[in-house]
Amino acid sequence: VPPILVPQWVKWINSITNSGGAVGYGRDKDGKVQGPALRKSVPLRSHRFWIMSYQVFKNDLDYLTKLLADKTYTTLVDEAQGLKNISSRLFGAVFTFAAGRHLLLPTGTEMNNPSDAYTYIKRKTPLIYRSKAHFDNIHVAERDFFENPIRWQNTEDLHRNLYLQSLHRTKE
C-alpha cells in the first residue's frame, strides 16, 4: 500500500473482532520507518495481516517469499493502479510473489484507455494474452506517428477478458 495508508489499514483491520490481527511491517507503532534489521525482528507469523509499503515489499521480497514458502496466503495490492507498468520492479515482484496464489487488486482509479486493462488481465488471467504484443495485435486498430494507440478494436472481448476472475464495484 502507499506508505501513508499503512497505519490506516492496520487500525481498521485491528478494529475488526476476530480478524487475526494486523501489523505494519516496515514501520514501528508510531509510524516511523524501520531499517531491514528491525523489520526482520517483527513477529510476522503472530499476525494474520502484514501491511507494508510497495518499497518495503520490493526490498524484502526474498525474505517474505522464504517466510511464506509453505503457507497459503492472499496478496492484496491496494491502489493497484501502481501496477500498470508491466516493466516495473513492483509488477515483477507482485507477479512472482502471487504466482499460483490468491491476488486482490482493488483500485478506485478509473482506466484511462484500454491499454490500462492489460496489466490487470495479465495478473489475474495470465494465459489470455501471451504478451503485450499479442494484446496489441488483437486490440490496437491504429497508431499515431509516435506508435501510441489511437483507435481500438475487439473491445467487447477486452471487456469480457478484463472481468474474468474480477468484480466491478462502484459507489453508486
Side-chain angles (χ1 to χ4, degrees):
V1 300
I4 197 165
L5 297 179
V6 170
Q8 293 173 25
W9 270 98
V10 171
K11 183 178 178 181
W12 176 71
I13 290 171
N14 286 334
S15 74
I16 300 169
T17 305
N18 297 322
S19 69
V23 62
Y25 179 70
R27 301 207 170 242
D28 66 17
K29 63 183 175 183
D30 298 320
K32 294 180 183 166
V33 176
Q34 296 174 320
L38 281 176
R39 286 196 305 265
K40 290 184 176 132
S41 70
V42 174
L44 292 174
R45 288 188 185 254
S46 64
H47 297 85
R48 185 171 178 199
F49 297 94
W50 309 345
I51 315 301
M52 66 194 80
S53 69
Y54 300 146
Q55 192 61 44
V56 167
F57 174 71
K58 291 185 295 186
N59 289 344
D60 290 4
L61 179 62
D62 291 340
Y63 171 70
L64 296 168
T65 301
K66 288 176 188 167
L67 193 63
L68 292 170
D70 61 337
K71 303 291 180 197
T72 299
Y73 59 88
T74 298
T75 303
L76 184 147
V77 181
D78 189 26
E79 302 298 335
Q81 73 276 5
L83 292 176
K84 282 185 186 177
N85 182 353
I86 62 171
S87 302
S88 73
R89 188 170 160 225
L90 178 61
F91 181 88
V94 170
F95 195 85
T96 300
F97 189 75
R101 306 196 190 254
H102 299 285
L103 176 66
L104 302 173
L105 299 172
T107 182
T109 304
E110 293 183 15
M111 289 185 224
N112 296 321
N113 64 60
S115 66
D116 292 346
Y118 175 74
T119 301
Y120 299 111
I121 294 169
K122 188 66 176 170
R123 277 302 313 127
K124 295 302 290 178
T125 50
L127 301 178
I128 298 284
Y129 301 107
R130 292 186 304 273
S131 65
K132 180 68 164 74
H134 180 221
F135 173 89
D136 287 349
N137 285 339
I138 293 171
H139 297 296
V140 176
E142 185 179 353
R143 294 180 180 272
D144 65 13
F145 177 78
F146 299 102
E147 292 298 314
N148 296 314
I150 57 173
R151 195 166 57 83
W152 298 90
Q153 62 190 8
N154 302 316
T155 55
E156 302 83 19
D157 293 338
L158 176 60
H159 187 265
R160 189 172 40 256
N161 291 340
L162 177 62
Y163 288 106
L164 290 172
Q165 299 189 39
S166 299
L167 295 174
H168 182 202
R169 297 280 187 251
T170 60
K171 291 183 180 179
E172 290 95 39

